[in-house]
Amino acid sequence: MRGLVRVVIFLTVIWSAYWFVAGFGLRNAITAWFDKQQEQGWQADFSDVLTAGYPLRHVTRLNSPALADPVNGTAWSADWIEFQSPAIWPGRQVLRFADTPQRLSYFDQTATIKASDLQAELQLQPGVALVLEKMALTAGSWLITDDAEALAGGDTLTVVMEQTSIPVTYAIGARIDGFTPGDGLRDLMRSATTLPQAFETLELDMTATFNKPWDRTALEQGRPQPVKIDLNLAEMKWGALRLFAAGELDIDHQGIPTGEIAVKAENWRDMIAMANAAGALPDQAVDPVTRALNFMAGLGGNPNALDLQLNFRDGFVALGPLPLGPAPRLILR
C-alpha cells in the first residue's frame, strides 16, 4: 500500500510540474504574441492575465484585450477573452468570448457585437508553423448594432473551416438559424415589409483553395489568398423568396475571378422590386430587366422561377446576357 501511495504521489508531482511549466509556457506565448504585434506597430494590449484549470486543462484569461491593425484599419476590443486547451496538448484551443458587448471597427465604422456562448475552436498541427487543421465559430443568440440601431441578428451561428487532405484546400460551411435583418436593411428594401421577420434558411457549403496553408504567418505576415472556389451550395429562404447558387471560380493573383455560378431564383420579380427600392437597380432599368428575365423564365417552363448563370470573364460579371459591371476583387486583407 505504501508503495502505491508513493507512486501516486510521484506521478502527481510530475504531472503538477508539467502542468505549471506548460501553463507558464502557454501564458508566455500568448503575451509574447501581443508584444510582437506592438513591435510591428499594432495596438495590442490587455489589463492583466490569469491562469487556471488545474489539473486537466489550461485556462488563460486576458482581461480588457484590445487589438488594432493600422495597416488594414481593423480594431477589436472586449471585456475579456479566454483560451482553453487540454493540458496534454495546447494545440486544441477553444477561445471563449465575453457575453458582454464587443466592439469591432473598420476605419471610422464601428459595430457592437453581443452574443451568448460565443466561442471559436482552433485545432492546430504540432510544430512551429501551427498550421490550421480546423476552425469553428459557434454562438447562441447574437446581435450586431451600429449606433444603437440593429444591423442583423440570429438565433444561432455556426461557421466551420476544416483542412482537407490537400493542405492548401479547406472545406467551409456556414449556417445561421433565425437570421433577422436589421430595420435599416428592411427600410432600404421597402418592398420587404410583408416578408417574415427572420429567414427560414441561410446556409453555405463550399471548398476554397488558397495559395498557402493557414498558419501563424496569416496573422504575422500576410493572409493566404484564394485561388479557387468550389461553391457546392448557397441557399437562402426568406418567406416566398428562394435563392440557390452553385458553381466554380478560379481567381488570379489580382483577385479577379473567372468562372460560372449557376443561380436559381423563385419569385424573382419581388427581388427586382427590392433591388430597385434599395437603389441597386435604377428605375429606368426595371422594365427592360423584367422583360428580359421574364422571357428567360418562360423558357424554363415556370414563369416564377428563374435559372440563370453568373458569368465572370475578363474582370467583368454578367447575369446571363445582362452585363452587371466589374467583378468584385476577392482579396483577403
Side-chain angles (χ1 to χ4, degrees), residues 89 91-93 121-125 130-136 162:
W89 167 232
R92 293 183 178 270
Q93 287 283 340
E121 177 187 354
L122 294 176
Q123 294 185 15
L124 307 175
Q125 291 180 8
L130 299 178
V131 176
L132 177 67
E133 291 183 338
K134 180 180 179 181
M135 177 174 63
E162 188 168 8

Side-chain angles (χ1 to χ4, degrees), residues 202-235:
L202 193 60
E203 291 188 56
L204 173 68
D205 179 16
M206 61 181 281
T207 301
T209 300
F210 298 89
N211 61 351
K212 65 176 184 176
W214 283 82
D215 54 27
R216 64 187 302 171
T217 63
L219 288 176
E220 298 174 350
Q221 300 176 15
R223 312 289 187 266
Q225 297 301 320
V227 296
K228 184 177 179 62
I229 294 177
D230 292 327
L231 179 60
N232 301 317
L233 179 65
E235 181 179 1

Side-chain angles (χ1 to χ4, degrees), residues 27-37:
R27 172 176 174 152
N28 276 3
I30 294 173
T31 57
W33 184 87
F34 273 74
D35 293 339
K36 186 173 182 179
Q37 303 317 303

Side-chain angles (χ1 to χ4, degrees), residues 8-330:
V8 170
I9 293 175
F10 175 76
L11 292 177
T12 300
V13 170
I14 294 297
W15 178 258
S16 298
Y18 162 77
W19 188 94
F20 282 104
V21 170
F24 181 77
L26 181 61
R27 172 176 174 152
N28 276 3
I30 294 173
T31 57
W33 184 87
F34 273 74
D35 293 339
K36 186 173 182 179
Q37 303 317 303
Q38 287 183 338
E39 293 173 359
Q40 294 180 352
W42 285 39
Q43 176 198 355
D45 49 48
F46 51 87
S47 61
D48 63 313
V49 56
L50 305 173
T51 301
Y54 180 83
L56 299 179
R57 295 183 303 152
H58 286 124
V59 179
T60 305
R61 172 178 285 207
L62 300 181
N63 289 317
S64 304
L67 293 170
D69 184 350
V71 175
N72 59 30
T74 57
W76 167 82
S77 62
D79 285 345
W80 56 263
I81 185 173
E82 204 170 71
F83 300 80
Q84 299 183 1
S85 62
I88 197 65
W89 167 232
R92 293 183 178 270
Q93 287 283 340
V94 174
L95 279 66
R96 292 185 59 245
F97 295 85
D99 289 342
T100 52
Q102 304 174 56
R103 294 175 65 84
L104 183 64
S105 302
Y106 182 69
F107 291 105
D108 61 344
Q109 300 177 0
T110 300
T112 300
I113 304 171
K114 193 173 188 303
S116 63
D117 302 320
L118 176 61
Q119 67 177 35
E121 177 187 354
L122 294 176
Q123 294 185 15
L124 307 175
Q125 291 180 8
V128 177
L130 299 178
V131 176
L132 177 67
E133 291 183 338
K134 180 180 179 181
M135 177 174 63
L137 179 68
T138 60
S141 60
W142 56 276
L143 180 66
I144 301 176
T145 60
D146 180 12
D147 296 329
E149 178 183 350
L151 299 178
D155 296 332
T156 65
L157 170 66
T158 303
V159 181
V160 179
M161 177 176 170
E162 188 168 8
Q163 192 178 42
T164 67
S165 58
I166 303 173
V168 294
T169 301
Y170 290 81
I172 301 172
R175 178 184 176 90
I176 301 176
D177 293 323
F179 175 74
T180 305
D183 293 338
L185 180 58
R186 294 180 68 92
D187 291 343
L188 187 62
M189 300 180 298
R190 292 185 293 272
S191 58
T193 55
T194 59
L195 291 170
Q197 189 70 19
F199 283 45
E200 298 171 37
T201 303
L202 193 60
E203 291 188 56
L204 173 68
D205 179 16
M206 61 181 281
T207 301
T209 300
F210 298 89
N211 61 351
K212 65 176 184 176
W214 283 82
D215 54 27
R216 64 187 302 171
T217 63
L219 288 176
E220 298 174 350
Q221 300 176 15
R223 312 289 187 266
Q225 297 301 320
V227 296
K228 184 177 179 62
I229 294 177
D230 292 327
L231 179 60
N232 301 317
L233 179 65
E235 181 179 1
M236 181 274 286
K237 295 182 181 178
W238 190 17
L241 303 181
R242 302 287 191 273
L243 187 64
F244 309 87
E248 297 183 2
L249 295 175
D250 292 312
I251 305 163
D252 67 14
H253 66 281
Q254 295 180 323
I256 299 175
T258 300
E260 295 83 28
I261 300 292
V263 178
K264 181 175 182 179
E266 298 179 4
N267 294 301
W268 55 272
R269 292 179 181 83
D270 290 340
M271 296 181 187
I272 290 180
M274 292 167 62
N276 176 242
L281 187 66
D283 293 339
Q284 61 270 23
V286 171
D287 286 342
V289 169
T290 301
R291 286 195 298 269
L293 295 182
N294 189 59
F295 172 75
M296 287 183 282
L299 296 177
N302 183 357
N304 291 322
L306 185 63
D307 289 290
L308 284 177
Q309 185 168 280
L310 279 171
N311 299 304
F312 295 83
R313 292 285 185 277
D314 301 322
F316 291 88
V317 59
L319 181 61
L322 304 174
L324 299 180
R329 297 292 183 95
L330 303 181

